[in-house]
Amino acid sequence: MNNPTNDPDLRSWVASANAAGTDFPIQNLPYGRFRRAGTQESWRIGIAIGDQILDLKLAFGKTVWEAAVQSSLASLTAGDLNAFMAQGPSVWRGLRAALSQALREGSKAQAQLEACLLPQAQAEFSVPCEIGDYTDFYAGIHHATTVGKLFRPDNPLLPNYKWVPIGYHGRSSSIGVSGQSFRRPRGQIKGEGDTPLFGSSKRLDYELELGIFVGQGNAPGESVGMEQAEQHLFGIGLLNDWSARDVQAWEYQPLGPFLAKNFATTISPWIVTMEALEPFRCEFTREAGEPQPLPYLDSQQNRDRGAVNITLEAWLQTAAMRKAGQAPVRLSQANFRESAYWTLAQLLAHHTVNGCNLRPGDLFGSGTMSGPQADQAGSLLELTQGGKQAIQLPNGESRTFLADGDTVILRGYCEAAGAARIGLGEVAGTVVA
Amino acid sequence: MNNPTNDPDLRSWVASANAAGTDFPIQNLPYGRFRRAGTQESWRIGIAIGDQILDLKLAFGKTVWEAAVQSSLASLTAGDLNAFMAQGPSVWRGLRAALSQALREGSKAQAQLEACLLPQAQAEFSVPCEIGDYTDFYAGIHHATTVGKLFRPDNPLLPNYKWVPIGYHGRSSSIGVSGQSFRRPRGQIKGEGDTPLFGSSKRLDYELELGIFVGQGNAPGESVGMEQAEQHLFGIGLLNDWSARDVQAWEYQPLGPFLAKNFATTISPWIVTMEALEPFRCEFTREAGEPQPLPYLDSQQNRDRGAVNITLEAWLQTAAMRKAGQAPVRLSQANFRESAYWTLAQLLAHHTVNGCNLRPGDLFGSGTMSGPQADQAGSLLELTQGGKQAIQLPNGESRTFLADGDTVILRGYCEAAGAARIGLGEVAGTVVA
């Protein structure tokens, strides 16, 4: 049952991977796409280890790998993570085991692989894979309830919410990686009376979400049942679903959000694999009185181990704070398990139940992850009660929604007794005028 | 002003291109991606001419082209239409002029190019380009009004409709080309009381739409204004936005359609270029009392020539009809100009006004194109008044929604005095159990 690659006693010959509090110990080994900063080199696939990146293209040329591993590395040396994602869990597990062995203290591979490291501080990143389709779910029940209350105080959750993992299609072209800056969007905004105004959004917000990457796809017309759904999940990251609330309020009826969301979505550079999350899986239960999931969204495995315990945080650094050398301040902290009404497997099973085909590299957003308490909310819309109650920052500034120059940073990590800490890293994005 | 490639007196040495009623005279020259049927050859880009395809890969090797045309053909010989779409109108016009010359009666190129033809009947098709993102608009005002009446008899159009070109993101992975079959989707459907049912959709429908292909893209954060919008449009085809009405009714609040639509979307194989549509452009006006478009959706060019006169038709062939050798029956006919509340340029300008980046090959659906009369409706939902009034077919069958084995065929064409008829071809798709 216990996966040896998750053994908390493992240590790496990469010293920084053994530091307390690192996001990237040898038990993590997430995938990203990088190159040396400031160059026009082609993108390469790498593995985060401590504050370093193991360059899999360079590593492929070394003699430390068994033949089976060489063949899975081959699909990564071209910078194409999608082909590897398509190969499925046994290939993923095989490479992870080999990387874990090679990066351990005492490994004979150390001498060869030391030359394959690049400090993360010297790298720039792209989105980690080609994202064909991006789906944004709405699985955060506390978020849905709080936002619903702003519109319908007596009946915040719509009747379908506890039955249907609500989701909609987002925009893949405007997904960027941590470090993305984007212009404050313009658009139509409801005015007085029937005539809308046109201008820059005045209610620009972030949304704290988990990003979920599909590994193996499915053929058109073939549903993925709950028993197989986990086999199709490759891993997770952080996702900021930037939202222009005033644009959204005017445009979203009857077909959902469009220009309010599609100007930018920012994701973290590293995909933490489902295998690295194993020590943080836990049971998935519905509280008494809640509807039980329909059979196509239910399995014993999901009830036993469907949930994941992940701490998620949103931080803010304003332009004034940056200028004054002040560190970001934390706006909120929530837990994925407590925030999400549906498991990752349920999202995937639901998405395919009608025969919709997923492709390797497709991305899901979880929906905004807000905890049950008001100060655990994953968006300013919630934290400021729809913009009515400004947040006071330590430097004397205040915010209802985002100001130009604001940088929002999302962080995530898993901690549990008897397990190494696994970090998701962070995703930062900045609004410009 | 008059484009010589649209001269109605032009005739081709491909005899079938001169036949009355052909969709593909020498004035059309649409782009598609094909290979010889039943082979695993790589996909090639071709031009429809009469009942033939001019294979641009084979044609590239011939000596009939000037250097500038050779260079634009080079980006097509790899089967990659997107790279050509990215090059912009002057390149598109250059190749069109050369193809028009080469395919004319009396052209010296005939001897070399005759060997580059494949009968369309011997070809199979793929989607004509890589579609990164697919956006479905809701520009059919008669459709929106009729559907709105089913839910809100006194107030069918929401307050934003006449201001905002309503749209939402669709699924690109499940877009298929004419000939696509798909399984009847399953999903949650509203039951009696609060508990949904699970099963196959009983209210499966088609939607008659125009498909619009983006040529040149735009950078993130850069809006495309109305003066430039036409330069970013590559061409059009037909699009069937299959819809499971019962799934949609239960799932779509508050974020829009998802599983009700994303199981399949079918498009026609040929992209008819904006240049071929020039003789059918006409003025765009708002009726008295209608709100005028906001400035970012307005231009003199759009008022003068923004609309397009296109006839659109939906046809049905049931399994019983097919078995009996009976031809499809026409369910409805409408005109794009009369049906669409927004022009193609307005859809593109709106999509980018917030800085959303479009990429070459991105696809828009127009929304269901229904004319002002009840029998001009582009969906069964409308034709049957929400399923309450069955349609009687000539063979004695009747339909409220689609039955297994039904094939829906959409057709489109442009006709005007003093212009050659330009056809969009057709898109056929079949529901299977």
Side-chain angles (χ1 to χ4, degrees):
Chain A
M1 183 67 192
N2 284 336
N3 186 327
T5 61
N6 294 325
D7 180 344
D9 295 329
L10 293 181
R11 290 172 58 86
S12 175
W13 51 261
V14 179
S16 58
N18 306 319
T22 181
D23 277 345
F24 308 117
I26 190 170
Q27 294 85 357
N28 194 344
L29 305 177
Y31 292 88
R33 191 156 57 167
F34 75 101
R35 64 184 173 196
R36 286 188 299 144
T39 72
Q40 292 298 312
E41 293 174 351
S42 57
W43 297 105
R44 299 171 175 215
I45 307 299
I47 294 280
I49 178 77
D51 61 9
Q52 304 289 308
I53 304 168
L54 180 69
D55 181 332
L56 294 186
K57 184 168 185 177
L58 293 181
F60 178 67
K62 306 304 179 187
T63 58
V64 300
W65 312 107
E66 293 177 11
V69 170
Q70 277 282 5
S71 97
S72 58
L73 273 175
S75 61
L76 294 170
T77 54
D80 177 7
L81 188 58
N82 297 64
F84 178 71
M85 297 167 104
Q87 291 180 278
S90 70
V91 171
W92 308 338
R93 277 195 292 271
L95 182 57
R96 177 179 171 85
L99 290 166
S100 176
Q101 286 287 350
L103 289 166
R104 274 178 214 177
E105 269 185 356
S107 163
K108 285 181 288 186
Q110 177 176 353
Q112 288 193 59
L113 294 184
E114 276 178 334
C116 306
L117 295 179
L118 180 74
Q120 291 182 34
Q122 294 176 24
E124 62 186 25
F125 296 88
S126 82
V127 293
C129 60
E130 299 302 314
I131 299 165
D133 278 294
Y134 159 48
T135 299
D136 195 25
F137 283 97
Y138 195 54
I141 187 166
H142 307 298
H143 169 76
T145 303
T146 305
V147 172
K149 268 184 192 154
L150 294 175
F151 298 99
R152 299 173 300 275
D154 297 332
N155 187 24
L157 282 183
L158 292 167
N160 58 12
Y161 189 85
K162 292 187 174 177
W163 298 99
V164 180
I166 297 290
Y168 67 102
H169 288 291
R171 179 94 196 161
S172 63
S173 73
S174 54
I175 298 172
V177 76
S178 185
Q180 183 176 30
S181 295
F182 62 89
R183 291 192 188 166
R184 177 178 295 272
R186 300 181 305 162
Q188 291 190 36
I189 295 164
K190 193 173 182 333
E192 301 296 318
D194 281 344
T195 305
L197 306 172
F198 180 81
S200 292
S201 170
K202 293 181 174 54
R203 291 164 67 91
L204 185 61
D205 202 354
Y206 66 89
E207 291 193 335
L208 168 57
E209 302 197 14
L210 206 65
I212 301 125
F213 289 88
V214 174
Q216 295 181 100
N218 60 297
E222 302 289 344
S223 305
V224 179
M226 283 296 288
E227 292 73 18
Q228 285 77 46
E230 293 262 351
Q231 309 292 310
H232 290 256
L233 292 168
F234 184 74
I236 64 168
L238 296 160
L239 184 150
N240 189 337
D241 175 27
W242 305 99
S243 298
R245 302 297 180 192
D246 38 9
V247 174
Q248 187 173 352
W250 173 236
E251 76 170 1
Y252 90 106
Q253 290 278 20
L255 298 180
F258 181 51
L259 298 188
K261 302 271 196 176
N262 67 9
F263 55 91
T265 303
T266 315
I267 61 176
S268 56
W270 298 108
I271 305 179
V272 173
T273 64
M274 297 306 294
E275 210 175 341
L277 298 174
E278 283 173 8
F280 312 99
R281 303 302 296 263
C282 35
E283 65 175 348
F284 167 79
T285 51
R286 286 269 182 256
E287 288 179 30
E290 298 282 305
Q292 291 305 302
L294 291 180
Y296 82 94
L297 295 174
D298 191 26
S299 75
Q300 189 63 49
Q301 183 194 3
N302 193 60
R303 275 173 264 149
D304 292 345
R305 304 272 293 164
V308 199
N309 186 348
I310 309 170
T311 301
L312 298 170
E313 298 177 347
W315 298 67
L316 175 68
Q317 187 183 46
T318 69
M321 291 163 67
R322 200 160 43 247
K323 198 171 173 186
Q326 293 162 343
V329 293
R330 194 171 75 191
L331 298 179
S332 69
Q333 184 186 66
N335 185 287
F336 177 69
R337 185 191 183 189
E338 292 174 1
S339 305
Y341 194 73
W342 303 101
T343 67
L344 306 186
Q346 286 171 326
L347 300 183
L348 193 136
H350 180 68
H351 203 318
T352 65
V353 72
N354 67 342
C356 179
N357 57 314
L358 305 178
R359 294 177 292 194
D362 282 350
L363 175 64
F364 303 165
S366 61
T368 309
M369 291 293 110
S370 301
Q373 307 302 323
D375 63 354
Q376 295 173 327
S379 71
L380 287 172
L381 182 71
E382 297 160 86
L383 290 172
T384 68
Q385 298 165 50
K388 291 197 285 283
Q389 187 72 46
I391 291 175
Q392 301 302 320
L393 302 177
N395 70 345
E397 292 184 283
S398 66
R399 287 290 180 275
T400 48
F401 291 97
L402 295 172
D404 293 341
D406 282 357
T407 297
V408 176
I409 302 143
L410 309 181
R411 294 176 180 154
Y413 53 89
C414 302
E415 291 178 341
R421 178 182 187 280
I422 298 293
L424 303 187
E426 66 176 40
V427 53
T430 302
V431 187
V432 298
Chain B
M1 183 69 191
N2 284 335
N3 186 327
T5 61
N6 293 326
D7 180 345
D9 295 330
L10 293 181
R11 289 173 60 85
S12 174
W13 52 260
V14 179
S16 59
N18 307 319
T22 180
D23 277 346
F24 307 116
I26 191 170
Q27 294 84 359
N28 194 343
L29 306 177
Y31 291 88
R33 192 156 57 168
F34 75 101
R35 63 185 173 197
R36 287 187 299 144
T39 71
Q40 292 298 311
E41 294 174 352
S42 57
W43 297 105
R44 298 170 176 216
I45 305 301
I47 294 280
I49 179 77
D51 61 8
Q52 304 289 309
I53 304 168
L54 179 69
D55 181 332
L56 294 186
K57 184 169 186 177
L58 293 181
F60 178 66
K62 306 303 178 187
T63 59
V64 300
W65 312 107
E66 294 178 10
V69 170
Q70 278 282 7
S71 96
S72 58
L73 273 174
S75 61
L76 294 169
T77 54
D80 177 7
L81 189 57
N82 298 63
F84 178 71
M85 298 167 103
Q87 290 181 279
S90 69
V91 170
W92 309 337
R93 276 195 292 270
L95 182 57
R96 177 178 171 85
L99 289 166
S100 176
Q101 287 286 351
L103 289 165
R104 275 177 212 176
E105 269 185 356
S107 164
K108 285 182 289 187
Q110 178 177 352
Q112 288 193 61
L113 294 183
E114 275 178 334
C116 307
L117 295 178
L118 181 74
Q120 289 182 34
Q122 294 177 24
E124 63 187 24
F125 296 89
S126 84
V127 293
C129 60
E130 298 302 314
I131 299 166
D133 278 294
Y134 159 48
T135 299
D136 195 25
F137 283 97
Y138 195 54
I141 188 166
H142 307 299
H143 170 76
T145 304
T146 305
V147 172
K149 268 183 193 155
L150 295 174
F151 298 98
R152 299 173 300 274
D154 298 331
N155 187 25
L157 281 184
L158 293 167
N160 57 12
Y161 189 86
K162 291 188 175 176
W163 298 99
V164 180
I166 297 290
Y168 66 102
H169 287 290
R171 179 96 195 158
S172 64
S173 73
S174 54
I175 298 173
V177 76
S178 185
Q180 181 176 31
S181 296
F182 62 89
R183 291 192 188 166
R184 177 178 295 272
R186 300 180 305 161
Q188 292 189 36
I189 296 165
K190 193 172 183 333
E192 301 297 318
D194 281 343
T195 305
L197 307 172
F198 180 82
S200 292
S201 170
K202 293 182 173 55
R203 291 165 67 92
L204 185 60
D205 202 353
Y206 65 90
E207 290 192 337
L208 168 57
E209 301 196 16
L210 206 63
I212 301 123
F213 289 89
V214 175
Q216 295 181 99
N218 61 296
E222 303 289 344
S223 305
V224 179
M226 282 296 288
E227 292 72 18
Q228 285 77 47
E230 292 263 352
Q231 309 292 310
H232 290 256
L233 293 168
F234 184 74
I236 65 167
L238 296 159
L239 184 150
N240 189 337
D241 175 27
W242 305 99
S243 299
R245 303 295 181 193
D246 39 8
V247 173
Q248 187 173 351
W250 174 236
E251 77 170 0
Y252 90 106
Q253 291 276 22
L255 298 179
F258 180 51
L259 298 187
K261 303 270 195 177
N262 67 9
F263 53 92
T265 303
T266 315
I267 61 175
S268 55
W270 298 108
I271 305 180
V272 173
T273 64
M274 296 307 293
E275 209 176 341
L277 297 174
E278 284 173 7
F280 312 99
R281 302 303 296 265
C282 35
E283 64 175 349
F284 166 80
T285 52
R286 286 270 183 254
E287 288 180 29
E290 298 282 302
Q292 292 304 304
L294 292 180
Y296 82 94
L297 295 173
D298 190 26
S299 75
Q300 190 62 49
Q301 183 193 5
N302 193 59
R303 275 174 263 148
D304 292 344
R305 304 273 290 163
V308 199
N309 187 347
I310 309 169
T311 301
L312 298 169
E313 298 177 347
W315 298 67
L316 176 68
Q317 187 182 46
T318 69
M321 291 164 67
R322 200 158 46 243
K323 198 170 173 186
Q326 293 163 342
V329 294
R330 194 171 73 190
L331 298 178
S332 68
Q333 185 187 65
N335 184 286
F336 177 69
R337 185 190 182 190
E338 292 174 2
S339 305
Y341 194 74
W342 303 102
T343 66
L344 306 185
Q346 286 172 325
L347 300 183
L348 192 137
H350 181 67
H351 204 318
T352 64
V353 72
N354 67 342
C356 179
N357 58 315
L358 305 177
R359 295 177 292 193
D362 282 350
L363 175 64
F364 303 165
S366 61
T368 308
M369 291 292 108
S370 301
Q373 306 302 323
D375 63 354
Q376 296 174 325
S379 72
L380 287 172
L381 182 71
E382 297 160 85
L383 290 172
T384 67
Q385 298 165 48
K388 290 198 285 285
Q389 187 72 46
I391 290 176
Q392 301 302 320
L393 302 176
N395 70 345
E397 291 185 283
S398 67
R399 287 289 181 276
T400 48
F401 291 97
L402 295 172
D404 293 341
D406 282 356
T407 297
V408 176
I409 302 143
L410 309 181
R411 293 176 182 154
Y413 53 89
C414 302
E415 290 178 342
R421 178 184 188 280
I422 298 294
L424 304 187
E426 66 176 41
V427 53
T430 302
V431 187
V432 300

